Amino acid sequence: MSLPEIVSRGEWRAARAELLLKEKAATRARDALNAERRGLPMVEVDEEYVFEGGDGKATLLDLFEGRRQLVVHHFMFAPEWDAGCRSCSGFLDQVGHLAHLHARDTSFAAVSRAPYPKILPFKARMGWTLPWYSSYGSGFNRDFEVTLAQEGELVERPGLSCFLRDRDRVFHTYTTYERGLDGLGSTTSLLDLTALGRQEEWEEPKRRASAYGAPAGSEHIRYHDEYEDRYGK
């Protein structure tokens, strides 16, 4: 195994300071990319998709749970499989407490093609409590290009899609696939994919989130059991 070079504390500090300059540049570049992502146009979703979850049948609008935004994890679980994808399972394991997303008026749900009776025991085995729906029998996975037809067979790939709600109208704002999920899972990383972002005052465009009445700003972060308004439940 090749290990890092051993140096003095002073040499380490100098090397660390040099790397920090590049890290700060990467952070500024990421902020600019996130702002450009928030500037993407959006597409209205007209298709009446029907999902199945713990409370029975649900529409895409139902998946919002009354919140302004929705992040969907396209979890690879084909109808003929006996268990969900290991990689997708690792991703869900690292998703943070949903109360922090809810406090930014954003819901999160996993969606798979497997029938719900197959999803339910696997979800229990993994110990997950987050919302998980079956899209079995609908064109949702194909329409969002996470189930592809290749050489006469259906192939699954992981993805994340973001949606924005304006009353009863639903809009698709962003989707990423495969390596695009690398480094995601935390509250801020998921919010960075959405049209409203982290809802901080320094973000561009200005006042987009506050116009919808969301509690913007890091000063509104609470312990996950302390959120009291409708966004945090």
Side-chain angles (χ1 to χ4, degrees), residues 6 19 24-25 50 58 70 90 100 104-105 121 144 157 180 182 209:
I6 300 174
L19 181 62
K24 289 184 175 181
V50 178
L70 169 67
H100 299 294
R104 293 298 189 274
D105 209 6
F144 288 91
R157 66 170 171 168
D182 287 359

Side-chain angles (χ1 to χ4, degrees), residues 42-64:
M42 59 187 185
V43 179
E44 187 163 7
V45 181
D46 296 319
E47 185 71 24
E48 294 291 334
Y49 299 109
V50 178
F51 306 90
E52 184 177 0
D55 295 325
K57 302 296 183 182
T59 65
L60 184 58
L61 184 63
D62 292 329
L63 270 58
F64 281 78

Side-chain angles (χ1 to χ4, degrees), residues 69-226:
Q69 297 191 120
L70 169 67
V71 177
V72 168
H73 176 215
H74 299 286
F75 190 109
M76 294 193 299
F77 196 163
E80 64 273 16
W81 296 0
D82 294 324
C85 165
R86 288 180 172 85
S87 178
C88 293
S89 298
F91 178 85
L92 278 193
D93 279 339
Q94 66 188 14
V95 172
H97 200 290
L98 295 187
H100 299 294
L101 276 176
H102 295 171
R104 293 298 189 274
D105 209 6
T106 303
S107 291
F108 179 94
V111 173
S112 302
R113 276 202 309 130
Y116 192 70
K118 272 196 170 184
I119 291 174
L120 197 57
F122 184 71
K123 179 182 178 182
R125 171 188 167 187
M126 295 291 100
W128 296 325
T129 59
L130 52 78
W132 194 352
Y133 295 88
S134 168
S135 61
Y136 183 75
S138 83
F140 183 76
N141 280 52
R142 285 200 177 193
D143 290 349
F144 288 91
E145 301 179 3
V146 289
T147 298
L148 307 174
Q150 295 183 357
E151 299 180 355
E153 295 184 358
L154 294 180
V155 177
E156 307 291 323
R157 66 170 171 168
L160 269 175
S161 291
C162 299
F163 301 89
L164 181 69
R165 180 178 67 86
D166 185 10
R167 298 181 177 85
D168 291 338
R169 299 173 71 187
V170 174
F171 299 89
H172 173 221
T173 61
Y174 182 73
T175 295
T176 188
Y177 306 100
E178 298 169 345
R179 286 293 306 276
L181 277 68
D182 287 359
L184 300 179
S186 66
T187 298
T188 52
S189 68
L190 293 175
L191 289 173
D192 283 343
L193 303 182
T194 68
L196 302 185
R198 302 185 191 187
Q199 299 160 41
E200 303 282 354
E201 292 300 327
W202 53 269
E203 287 183 309
E204 297 290 344
K206 300 294 187 184
R207 295 182 296 278
R208 173 177 285 184
S210 59
Y212 294 118
S218 58
E219 68 272 13
H220 290 277
I221 294 176
R222 301 287 185 266
Y223 296 114
H224 68 249
D225 61 353
E226 288 185 347

